[in-house]
Amino acid sequence: VRNPNAGGGGGVGAGPEREQERGGAGVAVLTKPPETETVTEHMRKEAVEKEPTWRVLLHNDDIHTFEYVIDSLVKVVRTVSRKKAHTITMEAHKNGLATVTTTWKQLAREYSLGLQQAGLTSSIAPDRTNAT
């Protein structure tokens, strides 16, 4: 590999020969230092681990059928199986309130909003297991 800064001029008028010595138009590859990626990834994981979890709550209502509520739960909260949705629906029916899932706050809001858009009564609350 020839050092383009080592002697021989090469300023304006160096011509195509000089370009070829340097590899033509060339391609530059920029890389992050590995430790920067590791530190950033570690900090992100640590922040997520420290973020408190929130409960998505389903409130009982006397309007919707069990089947509709189960279908809505499975559609909105894709991690909930039909069997689990049935259990959640029964708990809300018997106790007036049931926890659908626990997750970070933003996703809990999205799930609750999705259930509300389906016509169900839903809210979120801090997960009491967060208390230390």
Side-chain angles (χ1 to χ4, degrees):
V1 176
R2 182 182 160 129
N3 183 349
N5 295 327
V12 177
E17 304 84 36
R18 187 70 176 155
E19 282 297 318
Q20 274 194 326
E21 288 176 10
R22 290 187 292 171
V27 176
V29 178
L30 302 176
T31 59
K32 286 184 178 179
E35 63 189 50
T36 302
E37 291 175 8
T38 305
V39 169
T40 304
E41 181 67 18
H42 175 72
M43 288 170 52
R44 188 188 65 76
K45 284 181 182 178
E46 197 173 88
V48 169
E49 288 171 3
K50 289 181 180 178
E51 186 175 332
T53 55
W54 287 69
R55 297 185 309 146
V56 178
L57 303 173
L58 176 67
H59 302 259
N60 186 40
D61 69 41
D62 294 326
I63 300 168
H64 300 97
T65 65
F66 279 72
E67 194 61 30
Y68 179 79
V69 174
I70 292 167
D71 288 344
S72 297
L73 286 170
V74 170
K75 183 179 178 182
V76 173
V77 186
R78 297 194 181 269
T79 57
V80 173
S81 66
R82 286 194 66 78
K83 183 176 180 179
K84 178 71 174 169
H86 180 269
T87 303
I88 293 165
T89 304
M90 291 303 294
E91 183 181 339
H93 178 70
K94 290 179 183 176
N95 302 325
L97 190 67
T99 298
V100 176
T101 190
T102 57
T103 186
W104 63 89
K105 190 174 186 177
Q106 183 58 38
L107 189 55
R109 284 180 178 161
E110 290 175 23
Y111 287 155
S112 183
L113 182 60
L115 294 172
Q116 291 170 10
Q117 288 173 341
L120 303 178
T121 305
S122 177
S123 62
I124 66 170
D127 186 9
R128 59 183 165 258
T129 61
N130 289 330
T132 52

